Amino acid sequence: MAREADYQDDDIVVISRNPLVGKLLLVTQDDEEIELYLERDSAEALMSALAALLAEGEGQDNPRRLT
C-alpha cells in the first residue's frame, strides 16, 4: 500500500562506505518515520529520477542547474 511521505531536508546518513549504504528519513502526515535505505545502484537511480523531474520545470521552476 502506497503512503505519502515528505523529505525533511535532512542529510543522508552514511551507514557504510564499502559497500556504500545510506539512510534517508521521510515523515508521513501521521508523523510516522520511514527510513529509506539506499545502496549505490538505488542512489544512482534516484539521482537520475530527480534530475528528470527537475528537467520538467517551467517558468520559475525552470531548472537552474543540472549536473
Side-chain angles (χ1 to χ4, degrees):
M1 176 180 195
R3 292 184 288 173
E4 287 189 28
D6 295 318
Y7 173 60
Q8 300 297 303
D9 296 328
D10 292 333
D11 290 334
I12 292 179
V13 176
V14 176
I15 295 170
S16 170
R17 296 189 188 287
N18 188 17
L20 183 61
V21 178
K23 178 177 69 171
L24 178 66
L25 180 65
L26 305 173
V27 178
T28 68
Q29 292 177 345
D30 298 331
D31 291 329
E32 180 182 353
E33 293 184 351
I34 299 173
E35 294 178 341
L36 176 63
Y37 288 85
L38 298 165
E39 39 54 59
R40 182 178 189 85
D41 290 340
S42 295
E44 288 177 348
L46 179 58
M47 291 284 295
S48 178
L50 291 172
L53 170 67
L54 291 174
E56 293 293 324
E58 295 179 356
Q60 288 184 325
D61 279 339
N62 194 38
R64 291 181 288 258
R65 169 179 49 147
L66 293 176
T67 57

Short mmCIF file of all heavy atoms in Angstrom, two decimals:
data_model
loop_
_atom_site.label_atom_id
_atom_site.label_comp_id
_atom_site.label_asym_id
_atom_site.label_seq_id
_atom_site.Cartn_x
_atom_site.Cartn_y
_atom_site.Cartn_z
N MET A 1 0.84 -1.17 0.00
CA MET A 1 0.00 0.00 0.00
C MET A 1 0.90 1.25 0.00
O MET A 1 1.78 1.39 0.83
CB MET A 1 -0.90 -0.02 1.23
CG MET A 1 -1.74 1.19 1.38
SD MET A 1 -2.76 1.07 2.87
CE MET A 1 -3.88 2.35 2.54
N ALA A 2 0.65 2.14 -0.92
CA ALA A 2 1.45 3.37 -1.02
C ALA A 2 1.07 4.36 0.06
O ALA A 2 -0.10 4.48 0.41
CB ALA A 2 1.24 3.98 -2.40
N ARG A 3 2.06 5.04 0.59
CA ARG A 3 1.84 6.10 1.58
C ARG A 3 2.61 7.34 1.13
O ARG A 3 3.68 7.22 0.55
CB ARG A 3 2.36 5.68 2.95
CG ARG A 3 1.57 4.56 3.56
CD ARG A 3 2.05 4.25 4.95
NE ARG A 3 3.36 3.58 4.85
CZ ARG A 3 4.11 3.29 5.89
NH1 ARG A 3 3.73 3.62 7.09
NH2 ARG A 3 5.26 2.69 5.73
N GLU A 4 2.07 8.50 1.43
CA GLU A 4 2.77 9.74 1.13
C GLU A 4 3.68 10.08 2.30
O GLU A 4 3.31 9.92 3.46
CB GLU A 4 1.79 10.88 0.91
CG GLU A 4 1.06 10.79 -0.40
CD GLU A 4 0.25 12.05 -0.69
OE1 GLU A 4 0.63 13.14 -0.23
OE2 GLU A 4 -0.76 11.91 -1.38
N ALA A 5 4.88 10.54 1.96
CA ALA A 5 5.83 10.96 2.99
C ALA A 5 6.61 12.14 2.45
O ALA A 5 6.78 12.29 1.24
CB ALA A 5 6.76 9.80 3.35
N ASP A 6 7.06 12.98 3.34
CA ASP A 6 7.81 14.17 2.98
C ASP A 6 9.27 14.03 3.37
O ASP A 6 9.60 13.49 4.43
CB ASP A 6 7.24 15.41 3.69
CG ASP A 6 5.83 15.73 3.25
OD1 ASP A 6 5.56 15.64 2.04
OD2 ASP A 6 5.01 16.06 4.12
N TYR A 7 10.11 14.58 2.52
CA TYR A 7 11.53 14.69 2.80
C TYR A 7 11.72 15.83 3.79
O TYR A 7 11.13 16.89 3.66
CB TYR A 7 12.28 14.95 1.50
CG TYR A 7 13.74 15.26 1.65
CD1 TYR A 7 14.60 14.35 2.24
CD2 TYR A 7 14.26 16.46 1.22
CE1 TYR A 7 15.94 14.63 2.38
CE2 TYR A 7 15.60 16.75 1.34
CZ TYR A 7 16.44 15.83 1.93
OH TYR A 7 17.77 16.11 2.07
N GLN A 8 12.53 15.64 4.81
CA GLN A 8 12.66 16.61 5.90
C GLN A 8 13.91 17.48 5.81
O GLN A 8 14.34 18.07 6.79
CB GLN A 8 12.67 15.86 7.24
CG GLN A 8 11.41 15.06 7.49
CD GLN A 8 10.20 15.96 7.57
OE1 GLN A 8 10.15 16.87 8.38
NE2 GLN A 8 9.22 15.72 6.72
N ASP A 9 14.51 17.58 4.63
CA ASP A 9 15.72 18.38 4.43
C ASP A 9 16.89 17.92 5.27
O ASP A 9 17.78 18.70 5.59
CB ASP A 9 15.45 19.87 4.69
CG ASP A 9 14.46 20.46 3.71
OD1 ASP A 9 14.42 20.01 2.56
OD2 ASP A 9 13.72 21.37 4.11
N ASP A 10 16.87 16.67 5.68
CA ASP A 10 17.98 16.12 6.45
C ASP A 10 19.03 15.55 5.51
O ASP A 10 18.74 15.21 4.36
CB ASP A 10 17.49 14.99 7.38
CG ASP A 10 16.60 15.51 8.49
OD1 ASP A 10 16.75 16.67 8.88
OD2 ASP A 10 15.75 14.73 8.95
N ASP A 11 20.24 15.45 6.00
CA ASP A 11 21.29 14.81 5.23
C ASP A 11 21.08 13.30 5.22
O ASP A 11 20.43 12.74 6.11
CB ASP A 11 22.67 15.10 5.86
CG ASP A 11 23.08 16.55 5.69
OD1 ASP A 11 22.61 17.20 4.74
OD2 ASP A 11 23.87 17.02 6.52
N ILE A 12 21.65 12.66 4.23
CA ILE A 12 21.66 11.20 4.21
C ILE A 12 22.74 10.72 5.17
O ILE A 12 23.87 11.22 5.15
CB ILE A 12 21.92 10.67 2.79
CG1 ILE A 12 20.74 11.00 1.89
CG2 ILE A 12 22.18 9.16 2.81
CD1 ILE A 12 20.90 10.54 0.46
N VAL A 13 22.38 9.81 6.04
CA VAL A 13 23.33 9.24 6.99
C VAL A 13 24.05 8.10 6.30
O VAL A 13 23.41 7.16 5.81
CB VAL A 13 22.59 8.74 8.25
CG1 VAL A 13 23.56 8.06 9.20
CG2 VAL A 13 21.86 9.87 8.93
N VAL A 14 25.36 8.18 6.22
CA VAL A 14 26.16 7.11 5.62
C VAL A 14 26.33 6.03 6.67
O VAL A 14 26.88 6.26 7.75
CB VAL A 14 27.52 7.63 5.13
CG1 VAL A 14 28.36 6.49 4.60
CG2 VAL A 14 27.33 8.70 4.06
N ILE A 15 25.84 4.84 6.34
CA ILE A 15 25.93 3.71 7.26
C ILE A 15 27.19 2.90 6.99
O ILE A 15 27.83 2.41 7.90
CB ILE A 15 24.67 2.83 7.13
CG1 ILE A 15 23.46 3.64 7.58
CG2 ILE A 15 24.80 1.55 7.93
CD1 ILE A 15 22.14 2.98 7.27
N SER A 16 27.53 2.79 5.71
CA SER A 16 28.70 2.03 5.31
C SER A 16 29.30 2.68 4.06
O SER A 16 28.56 3.16 3.21
CB SER A 16 28.31 0.58 4.99
OG SER A 16 29.37 -0.12 4.39
N ARG A 17 30.60 2.68 3.97
CA ARG A 17 31.26 3.22 2.79
C ARG A 17 31.70 2.11 1.83
O ARG A 17 31.91 2.36 0.66
CB ARG A 17 32.46 4.07 3.20
CG ARG A 17 32.06 5.29 3.99
CD ARG A 17 33.20 6.25 4.21
NE ARG A 17 32.88 7.32 5.12
CZ ARG A 17 32.09 8.35 4.85
NH1 ARG A 17 31.53 8.45 3.68
NH2 ARG A 17 31.86 9.27 5.75
N ASN A 18 31.86 0.92 2.32
CA ASN A 18 32.25 -0.20 1.47
C ASN A 18 31.61 -1.48 2.00
O ASN A 18 32.14 -2.07 2.94
CB ASN A 18 33.77 -0.34 1.43
CG ASN A 18 34.22 -1.37 0.41
OD1 ASN A 18 33.46 -1.76 -0.47
ND2 ASN A 18 35.45 -1.80 0.53
N PRO A 19 30.45 -1.88 1.47
CA PRO A 19 29.74 -1.29 0.34
C PRO A 19 29.01 -0.01 0.78
O PRO A 19 28.66 0.15 1.97
CB PRO A 19 28.73 -2.36 -0.06
CG PRO A 19 28.43 -3.07 1.21
CD PRO A 19 29.73 -3.05 1.99
N LEU A 20 28.76 0.88 -0.18
CA LEU A 20 28.11 2.14 0.11
C LEU A 20 26.64 1.92 0.45
O LEU A 20 25.88 1.35 -0.33
CB LEU A 20 28.23 3.08 -1.09
CG LEU A 20 27.64 4.47 -0.91
CD1 LEU A 20 28.35 5.21 0.23
CD2 LEU A 20 27.74 5.26 -2.19
N VAL A 21 26.24 2.36 1.64
CA VAL A 21 24.85 2.27 2.10
C VAL A 21 24.54 3.54 2.90
O VAL A 21 25.34 3.96 3.74
CB VAL A 21 24.60 1.03 2.99
CG1 VAL A 21 23.15 1.00 3.48
CG2 VAL A 21 24.94 -0.24 2.26
N GLY A 22 23.39 4.15 2.61
CA GLY A 22 22.98 5.33 3.34
C GLY A 22 21.53 5.23 3.74
O GLY A 22 20.78 4.38 3.25
N LYS A 23 21.11 6.13 4.63
CA LYS A 23 19.74 6.14 5.14
C LYS A 23 19.20 7.56 5.03
O LYS A 23 19.84 8.52 5.45
CB LYS A 23 19.72 5.67 6.59
CG LYS A 23 18.35 5.69 7.24
CD LYS A 23 18.39 5.14 8.64
CE LYS A 23 19.13 6.06 9.56
NZ LYS A 23 19.03 5.67 10.98
N LEU A 24 17.98 7.69 4.48
CA LEU A 24 17.30 8.96 4.32
C LEU A 24 15.99 8.90 5.11
O LEU A 24 15.26 7.91 5.00
CB LEU A 24 17.02 9.20 2.84
CG LEU A 24 16.28 10.45 2.44
CD1 LEU A 24 17.11 11.68 2.76
CD2 LEU A 24 15.97 10.42 0.95
N LEU A 25 15.70 9.92 5.89
CA LEU A 25 14.50 9.93 6.71
C LEU A 25 13.37 10.65 5.98
O LEU A 25 13.52 11.76 5.48
CB LEU A 25 14.76 10.64 8.04
CG LEU A 25 13.58 10.72 9.00
CD1 LEU A 25 13.15 9.33 9.46
CD2 LEU A 25 13.92 11.61 10.19
N LEU A 26 12.20 10.00 5.94
CA LEU A 26 10.97 10.57 5.41
C LEU A 26 9.94 10.53 6.53
O LEU A 26 9.99 9.66 7.40
CB LEU A 26 10.46 9.76 4.21
CG LEU A 26 11.44 9.57 3.05
CD1 LEU A 26 10.86 8.60 2.04
CD2 LEU A 26 11.76 10.89 2.40
N VAL A 27 8.97 11.46 6.51
CA VAL A 27 7.95 11.51 7.56
C VAL A 27 6.57 11.60 6.90
O VAL A 27 6.35 12.42 6.01
CB VAL A 27 8.17 12.70 8.51
CG1 VAL A 27 7.07 12.77 9.56
CG2 VAL A 27 9.53 12.61 9.18
N THR A 28 5.64 10.76 7.36
CA THR A 28 4.28 10.75 6.83
C THR A 28 3.46 11.85 7.49
O THR A 28 3.90 12.48 8.46
CB THR A 28 3.58 9.41 7.07
OG1 THR A 28 3.35 9.26 8.47
CG2 THR A 28 4.39 8.24 6.54
N GLN A 29 2.24 12.06 6.99
CA GLN A 29 1.34 13.06 7.58
C GLN A 29 0.97 12.71 9.01
O GLN A 29 0.59 13.58 9.80
CB GLN A 29 0.09 13.21 6.72
CG GLN A 29 0.36 13.83 5.38
CD GLN A 29 -0.88 13.89 4.51
OE1 GLN A 29 -1.88 13.24 4.77
NE2 GLN A 29 -0.80 14.69 3.46
N ASP A 30 1.05 11.43 9.36
CA ASP A 30 0.75 10.98 10.72
C ASP A 30 2.00 10.98 11.61
O ASP A 30 2.01 10.36 12.67
CB ASP A 30 0.16 9.56 10.70
CG ASP A 30 -1.14 9.50 9.94
OD1 ASP A 30 -1.86 10.52 9.92
OD2 ASP A 30 -1.45 8.44 9.36
N ASP A 31 3.06 11.65 11.15
CA ASP A 31 4.33 11.74 11.86
C ASP A 31 5.03 10.39 12.03
O ASP A 31 5.85 10.21 12.93
CB ASP A 31 4.17 12.43 13.23
CG ASP A 31 3.84 13.90 13.09
OD1 ASP A 31 4.29 14.52 12.10
OD2 ASP A 31 3.14 14.44 13.96
N GLU A 32 4.68 9.44 11.17
CA GLU A 32 5.39 8.16 11.18
C GLU A 32 6.68 8.34 10.39
O GLU A 32 6.69 8.90 9.30
CB GLU A 32 4.54 7.08 10.55
CG GLU A 32 5.22 5.73 10.52
CD GLU A 32 4.37 4.66 9.83
OE1 GLU A 32 3.22 4.94 9.51
OE2 GLU A 32 4.90 3.58 9.61
N GLU A 33 7.77 7.88 10.95
CA GLU A 33 9.06 7.99 10.27
C GLU A 33 9.30 6.77 9.39
O GLU A 33 9.04 5.63 9.79
CB GLU A 33 10.19 8.12 11.29
CG GLU A 33 10.14 9.42 12.06
CD GLU A 33 11.31 9.60 12.99
OE1 GLU A 33 12.10 8.65 13.18
OE2 GLU A 33 11.43 10.70 13.55
N ILE A 34 9.77 7.04 8.20
CA ILE A 34 10.14 5.98 7.26
C ILE A 34 11.63 6.15 6.97
O ILE A 34 12.07 7.22 6.55
CB ILE A 34 9.34 6.08 5.95
CG1 ILE A 34 7.85 5.92 6.23
CG2 ILE A 34 9.84 5.05 4.94
CD1 ILE A 34 6.99 6.18 5.02
N GLU A 35 12.39 5.12 7.21
CA GLU A 35 13.81 5.14 6.90
C GLU A 35 14.02 4.49 5.55
O GLU A 35 13.71 3.31 5.36
CB GLU A 35 14.60 4.41 7.98
CG GLU A 35 14.54 5.10 9.32
CD GLU A 35 15.29 4.35 10.40
OE1 GLU A 35 15.55 3.14 10.24
OE2 GLU A 35 15.60 4.98 11.42
N LEU A 36 14.50 5.27 4.60
CA LEU A 36 14.76 4.77 3.25
C LEU A 36 16.23 4.45 3.14
O LEU A 36 17.08 5.34 3.23
CB LEU A 36 14.35 5.83 2.22
CG LEU A 36 14.64 5.52 0.76
CD1 LEU A 36 13.85 4.29 0.30
CD2 LEU A 36 14.31 6.72 -0.10
N TYR A 37 16.54 3.18 2.98
CA TYR A 37 17.93 2.75 2.84
C TYR A 37 18.28 2.71 1.36
O TYR A 37 17.50 2.21 0.54
CB TYR A 37 18.13 1.37 3.48
CG TYR A 37 18.10 1.43 4.99
CD1 TYR A 37 16.90 1.38 5.67
CD2 TYR A 37 19.28 1.58 5.71
CE1 TYR A 37 16.87 1.47 7.06
CE2 TYR A 37 19.26 1.67 7.09
CZ TYR A 37 18.04 1.61 7.76
OH TYR A 37 18.02 1.70 9.12
N LEU A 38 19.44 3.25 1.03
CA LEU A 38 19.90 3.31 -0.35
C LEU A 38 21.30 2.73 -0.45
O LEU A 38 22.19 3.09 0.31
CB LEU A 38 19.94 4.77 -0.83
CG LEU A 38 18.62 5.51 -0.85
CD1 LEU A 38 18.87 7.00 -0.99
CD2 LEU A 38 17.77 5.02 -2.01
N GLU A 39 21.47 1.84 -1.42
CA GLU A 39 22.82 1.40 -1.76
C GLU A 39 23.17 2.10 -3.06
O GLU A 39 22.40 2.87 -3.59
CB GLU A 39 22.93 -0.12 -1.83
CG GLU A 39 21.80 -0.93 -2.44
CD GLU A 39 21.36 -0.54 -3.83
OE1 GLU A 39 22.17 -0.56 -4.77
OE2 GLU A 39 20.18 -0.20 -3.98
N ARG A 40 24.35 1.89 -3.56
CA ARG A 40 24.86 2.66 -4.70
C ARG A 40 23.93 2.65 -5.90
O ARG A 40 23.61 3.70 -6.45
CB ARG A 40 26.24 2.15 -5.10
CG ARG A 40 26.82 2.95 -6.24
CD ARG A 40 28.23 2.48 -6.62
NE ARG A 40 28.79 3.41 -7.54
CZ ARG A 40 29.42 4.53 -7.22
NH1 ARG A 40 29.57 4.84 -5.96
NH2 ARG A 40 29.90 5.34 -8.14
N ASP A 41 23.47 1.48 -6.34
CA ASP A 41 22.61 1.40 -7.53
C ASP A 41 21.30 2.16 -7.32
O ASP A 41 20.84 2.88 -8.21
CB ASP A 41 22.31 -0.05 -7.91
CG ASP A 41 23.53 -0.78 -8.46
OD1 ASP A 41 24.48 -0.11 -8.90
OD2 ASP A 41 23.51 -2.02 -8.46
N SER A 42 20.69 2.02 -6.14
CA SER A 42 19.44 2.73 -5.85
C SER A 42 19.67 4.24 -5.78
O SER A 42 18.84 5.03 -6.26
CB SER A 42 18.84 2.26 -4.52
OG SER A 42 18.46 0.91 -4.63
N ALA A 43 20.78 4.66 -5.19
CA ALA A 43 21.09 6.09 -5.10
C ALA A 43 21.29 6.68 -6.50
O ALA A 43 20.80 7.78 -6.79
CB ALA A 43 22.33 6.31 -4.24
N GLU A 44 21.97 5.96 -7.37
CA GLU A 44 22.17 6.45 -8.74
C GLU A 44 20.84 6.53 -9.49
O GLU A 44 20.59 7.49 -10.22
CB GLU A 44 23.16 5.56 -9.48
CG GLU A 44 24.59 5.74 -9.00
CD GLU A 44 25.57 4.80 -9.68
OE1 GLU A 44 25.14 3.84 -10.37
OE2 GLU A 44 26.78 5.02 -9.53
N ALA A 45 19.98 5.56 -9.31
CA ALA A 45 18.66 5.57 -9.96
C ALA A 45 17.82 6.73 -9.43
O ALA A 45 17.11 7.40 -10.20
CB ALA A 45 17.95 4.23 -9.74
N LEU A 46 17.88 6.99 -8.12
CA LEU A 46 17.14 8.10 -7.54
C LEU A 46 17.66 9.43 -8.08
O LEU A 46 16.88 10.32 -8.42
CB LEU A 46 17.24 8.06 -6.01
CG LEU A 46 16.54 9.18 -5.26
CD1 LEU A 46 15.05 9.22 -5.58
CD2 LEU A 46 16.76 9.02 -3.76
N MET A 47 18.98 9.59 -8.18
CA MET A 47 19.56 10.82 -8.74
C MET A 47 19.07 11.04 -10.17
O MET A 47 18.72 12.15 -10.55
CB MET A 47 21.09 10.74 -8.73
CG MET A 47 21.69 10.79 -7.36
SD MET A 47 21.69 12.44 -6.66
CE MET A 47 22.77 13.27 -7.78
N SER A 48 19.01 9.99 -10.95
CA SER A 48 18.54 10.08 -12.33
C SER A 48 17.07 10.50 -12.39
O SER A 48 16.69 11.36 -13.17
CB SER A 48 18.75 8.74 -13.04
OG SER A 48 18.26 8.80 -14.36
N ALA A 49 16.26 9.90 -11.52
CA ALA A 49 14.83 10.23 -11.49
C ALA A 49 14.62 11.68 -11.02
O ALA A 49 13.77 12.39 -11.57
CB ALA A 49 14.09 9.27 -10.55
N LEU A 50 15.40 12.14 -10.05
CA LEU A 50 15.28 13.52 -9.58
C LEU A 50 15.71 14.51 -10.66
O LEU A 50 15.08 15.56 -10.84
CB LEU A 50 16.10 13.72 -8.31
CG LEU A 50 15.58 13.00 -7.06
CD1 LEU A 50 16.59 13.11 -5.93
CD2 LEU A 50 14.23 13.52 -6.65
N ALA A 51 16.76 14.19 -11.40
CA ALA A 51 17.20 15.07 -12.48
C ALA A 51 16.14 15.15 -13.56
O ALA A 51 15.87 16.23 -14.11
CB ALA A 51 18.52 14.56 -13.07
N ALA A 52 15.48 14.03 -13.87
CA ALA A 52 14.41 14.02 -14.87
C ALA A 52 13.23 14.88 -14.39
O ALA A 52 12.63 15.62 -15.18
CB ALA A 52 13.95 12.59 -15.16
N LEU A 53 12.90 14.81 -13.10
CA LEU A 53 11.83 15.64 -12.54
C LEU A 53 12.18 17.12 -12.67
O LEU A 53 11.37 17.92 -13.15
CB LEU A 53 11.58 15.29 -11.07
CG LEU A 53 10.65 16.24 -10.32
CD1 LEU A 53 9.22 16.15 -10.86
CD2 LEU A 53 10.69 15.97 -8.84
N LEU A 54 13.38 17.49 -12.27
CA LEU A 54 13.79 18.88 -12.33
C LEU A 54 13.83 19.41 -13.76
O LEU A 54 13.52 20.58 -14.01
CB LEU A 54 15.16 19.06 -11.67
CG LEU A 54 15.17 18.87 -10.16
CD1 LEU A 54 16.61 18.91 -9.64
CD2 LEU A 54 14.32 19.89 -9.46
N ALA A 55 14.15 18.56 -14.71
CA ALA A 55 14.20 18.98 -16.11
C ALA A 55 12.82 19.34 -16.65
O ALA A 55 12.70 20.05 -17.65
CB ALA A 55 14.82 17.87 -16.96
N GLU A 56 11.77 18.89 -15.99
CA GLU A 56 10.40 19.17 -16.43
C GLU A 56 9.91 20.54 -15.99
O GLU A 56 8.85 21.00 -16.44
CB GLU A 56 9.45 18.10 -15.88
CG GLU A 56 9.66 16.73 -16.46
CD GLU A 56 9.31 16.66 -17.94
OE1 GLU A 56 8.36 17.32 -18.37
OE2 GLU A 56 10.03 15.94 -18.67
N GLY A 57 10.64 21.23 -15.13
CA GLY A 57 10.20 22.52 -14.61
C GLY A 57 10.07 23.58 -15.69
O GLY A 57 10.80 23.58 -16.68
N GLU A 58 9.13 24.49 -15.50
CA GLU A 58 8.91 25.61 -16.41
C GLU A 58 8.76 26.88 -15.59
O GLU A 58 8.46 26.84 -14.40
CB GLU A 58 7.65 25.39 -17.25
CG GLU A 58 7.73 24.21 -18.19
CD GLU A 58 6.46 24.00 -19.00
OE1 GLU A 58 5.47 24.73 -18.77
OE2 GLU A 58 6.46 23.10 -19.84
N GLY A 59 8.91 28.05 -16.25
CA GLY A 59 8.75 29.33 -15.55
C GLY A 59 9.73 29.43 -14.40
O GLY A 59 10.92 29.19 -14.56
N GLN A 60 9.22 29.82 -13.22
CA GLN A 60 10.08 29.94 -12.05
C GLN A 60 10.64 28.59 -11.62
O GLN A 60 11.64 28.54 -10.90
CB GLN A 60 9.32 30.58 -10.89
CG GLN A 60 9.06 32.06 -11.09
CD GLN A 60 8.38 32.67 -9.88
OE1 GLN A 60 7.58 32.05 -9.20
NE2 GLN A 60 8.72 33.92 -9.61
N ASP A 61 10.01 27.50 -12.02
CA ASP A 61 10.52 26.16 -11.70
C ASP A 61 11.43 25.63 -12.79
O ASP A 61 11.77 24.44 -12.81
CB ASP A 61 9.36 25.19 -11.48
CG ASP A 61 8.79 25.31 -10.07
OD1 ASP A 61 9.50 25.82 -9.20
OD2 ASP A 61 7.64 24.90 -9.87
N ASN A 62 11.85 26.48 -13.73
CA ASN A 62 12.79 26.07 -14.75
C ASN A 62 14.09 25.65 -14.07
O ASN A 62 14.53 26.27 -13.11
CB ASN A 62 13.05 27.26 -15.72
CG ASN A 62 13.73 26.82 -16.96
OD1 ASN A 62 13.45 25.75 -17.50
ND2 ASN A 62 14.63 27.64 -17.45
N PRO A 63 14.71 24.57 -14.56
CA PRO A 63 15.94 24.09 -13.91
C PRO A 63 17.02 25.17 -13.87
O PRO A 63 17.26 25.84 -14.87
CB PRO A 63 16.39 22.93 -14.78
CG PRO A 63 15.26 22.60 -15.67
CD PRO A 63 14.35 23.77 -15.70
N ARG A 64 17.63 25.33 -12.71
CA ARG A 64 18.73 26.29 -12.57
C ARG A 64 20.05 25.64 -12.94
O ARG A 64 20.90 26.25 -13.53
CB ARG A 64 18.81 26.78 -11.13
CG ARG A 64 17.64 27.66 -10.75
CD ARG A 64 17.78 28.15 -9.33
NE ARG A 64 17.57 27.07 -8.38
CZ ARG A 64 16.45 26.89 -7.69
NH1 ARG A 64 15.45 27.74 -7.84
NH2 ARG A 64 16.33 25.90 -6.86
N ARG A 65 20.21 24.39 -12.54
CA ARG A 65 21.49 23.72 -12.76
C ARG A 65 21.25 22.22 -12.70
O ARG A 65 20.70 21.70 -11.73
CB ARG A 65 22.45 24.16 -11.68
CG ARG A 65 23.71 23.39 -11.60
CD ARG A 65 24.59 23.95 -10.51
NE ARG A 65 23.84 24.13 -9.28
CZ ARG A 65 24.37 23.98 -8.07
NH1 ARG A 65 25.62 23.68 -7.94
NH2 ARG A 65 23.62 24.14 -7.00
N LEU A 66 21.64 21.53 -13.72
CA LEU A 66 21.60 20.07 -13.73
C LEU A 66 23.00 19.56 -14.04
O LEU A 66 23.62 20.02 -14.99
CB LEU A 66 20.62 19.53 -14.77
CG LEU A 66 19.14 19.80 -14.52
CD1 LEU A 66 18.32 19.29 -15.68
CD2 LEU A 66 18.67 19.15 -13.24
N THR A 67 23.49 18.62 -13.23
CA THR A 67 24.82 18.08 -13.49
C THR A 67 24.72 16.61 -13.75
O THR A 67 23.78 15.95 -13.42
CB THR A 67 25.76 18.32 -12.29
OG1 THR A 67 25.19 17.75 -11.13
CG2 THR A 67 26.00 19.80 -12.11
#
